[in-house]
Amino acid sequence: DVKVTQSSRYLVKRTGEKVFLECVQDMDHENMFWYRQDPGLGLRLIYFSYDVKMKEKGDIPEGYSVSREKKERFSLILESASTNQTSMYLCASSTSTGGISYEQYFGPGTRLTVT
Amino acid sequence: GQSLEQPSEVTAVEGAIVQINCTYQTSGFYGLSWYQQHDGGAPTFLSYNALDGLEETGRFSSFLSRSDSYGYLLLQELQMKDSASYFCAVMGGGGGNKLTFGTGTQLKVEL
C-alpha cells in the first residue's frame, strides 16, 4: 500500500517566519509534487520533482522553494511566510516506471495558517 | 498552458445516475484523469482516459472525446458515500507526469 506522509496536519506560523513542510513517500516513486488547495480554485501545482536534486516550477511557484535531497523526501519551503499563503498544502507522488502514470498518491495534507 | 472547466456543484438523489462534465484546453495532451476527494480527506485516483471512448470501473465510468476536448465522469447507482468533490485533471506537456487539475465539482447525494 502506497503511503505518503506529511510532517504536520495543522500548522500555525507568523508572518515573516521561514516554514518547512516535509513529505515522505515509501514506494520508491520518482515523481513528487506540492500543491496548494483553496476553495473554488482546486489544486494548483507549486513545484514538482522527477528525480533527486531535480525540481521544476509549477503554476504558482512564487514565494516557495523546494528541496529533494533523497528520493523519498520532498520538502516545501516558505522563505518568508505571508498571510496569502494560508492554505491546505498537499503532497503527492507517482511513478515513472513503465512510462506515463496518471495516478498520483496524495498525503493527508497540511493546513497552514499564517497570522 | 492548460485550463479545465467543470461545474461547481451537482445534486442528485440516491440510486440515480449523474454525469460530471469536464472541458479542457491544453498544449499537448496525454490523458484525462478523475479524482475523488471527501471532505477533510486526500484526493484519490478514480480513472483515466488516454484514448477516445468509455472506460468502466464498477459503478463509475469515464469518457473522453479528444476531438472535442471533452470528458465526463458517470456515476451510477448513487450512494450517500459518493457525496464528495470530483476533479478532472489533464496531463499535457512539460514532463514529470505533471497534472493540471480543474476546480472541482461538489456532488451532493440526497435521500
Side-chain angles (χ1 to χ4, degrees):
Chain A
D1 222 19
V2 178
K3 201 164 192 179
V4 181
T5 56
Q6 296 184 227
S7 50
S8 305
R9 197 78 170 93
Y10 299 93
L11 208 53
V12 180
K13 294 292 181 181
R14 292 199 179 272
T15 302
E17 277 194 84
K18 191 168 186 175
V19 182
F20 292 87
L21 302 182
E22 304 284 338
C23 175
V24 178
Q25 51 92 5
D26 67 357
M27 280 301 292
D28 203 35
H29 282 175
E30 295 81 7
N31 310 306
M32 296 189 75
F33 309 84
W34 274 107
Y35 297 89
R36 63 175 284 176
Q37 183 173 24
D38 301 287
L41 297 178
L43 285 78
R44 293 181 292 166
L45 182 64
I46 305 171
Y47 267 96
F48 67 102
S49 168
Y50 52 88
D51 201 353
V52 176
K53 297 193 185 294
M54 304 301 289
K55 59 186 179 185
E56 294 279 345
K57 292 180 180 179
D59 299 316
I60 51 164
E62 296 78 19
Y64 304 94
S65 62
V66 290
S67 172
R68 192 162 181 205
E69 296 296 318
K70 294 185 177 181
K71 191 175 185 180
E72 67 271 18
R73 188 179 297 269
F74 193 34
S75 302
L76 179 70
I77 303 151
L78 287 68
E79 296 290 342
S80 178
S82 64
T83 54
N84 63 11
Q85 292 178 311
T86 291
S87 185
M88 171 67 84
Y89 289 87
L90 290 161
C91 175
S93 72
S94 73
T95 184
S96 291
T97 302
I100 292 174
S101 172
Y102 301 92
E103 182 170 6
Q104 293 185 5
Y105 297 84
F106 284 82
T110 296
R111 185 165 292 283
L112 173 68
T113 303
V114 183
T115 62
Chain B
Q2 285 88 20
S3 67
L4 298 95
E5 277 194 34
Q6 51 182 130
S8 58
E9 267 190 34
V10 172
T11 302
V13 296
E14 199 175 29
I17 299 172
V18 72
Q19 180 174 310
I20 299 173
N21 298 320
C22 175
T23 57
Y24 60 87
Q25 289 185 325
T26 178
S27 52
F29 179 83
Y30 291 97
L32 187 72
S33 303
W34 290 92
Y35 285 76
Q36 178 192 59
Q37 185 180 31
H38 286 100
D39 277 351
T44 56
F45 173 80
L46 289 176
S47 68
Y48 81 90
N49 297 71
L51 303 174
D52 287 356
L54 191 69
E55 294 284 342
E56 297 181 63
T57 310
R59 293 188 297 114
F60 293 2
S61 303
S62 57
F63 172 82
L64 176 66
S65 168
R66 293 171 66 129
S67 59
D68 295 321
S69 298
Y70 163 75
Y72 65 73
L73 180 69
L74 192 74
L75 296 85
Q76 302 182 76
E77 300 171 21
L78 279 174
Q79 301 175 10
M80 297 297 290
K81 67 178 182 180
D82 297 329
S83 292
S85 292
Y86 293 84
F87 296 88
C88 56
V90 67
M91 183 175 291
N97 289 344
K98 182 171 76 102
L99 293 174
T100 299
F101 284 80
T103 53
T105 299
Q106 186 168 13
L107 171 64
K108 296 179 185 176
V109 180
E110 299 175 335
L111 290 171

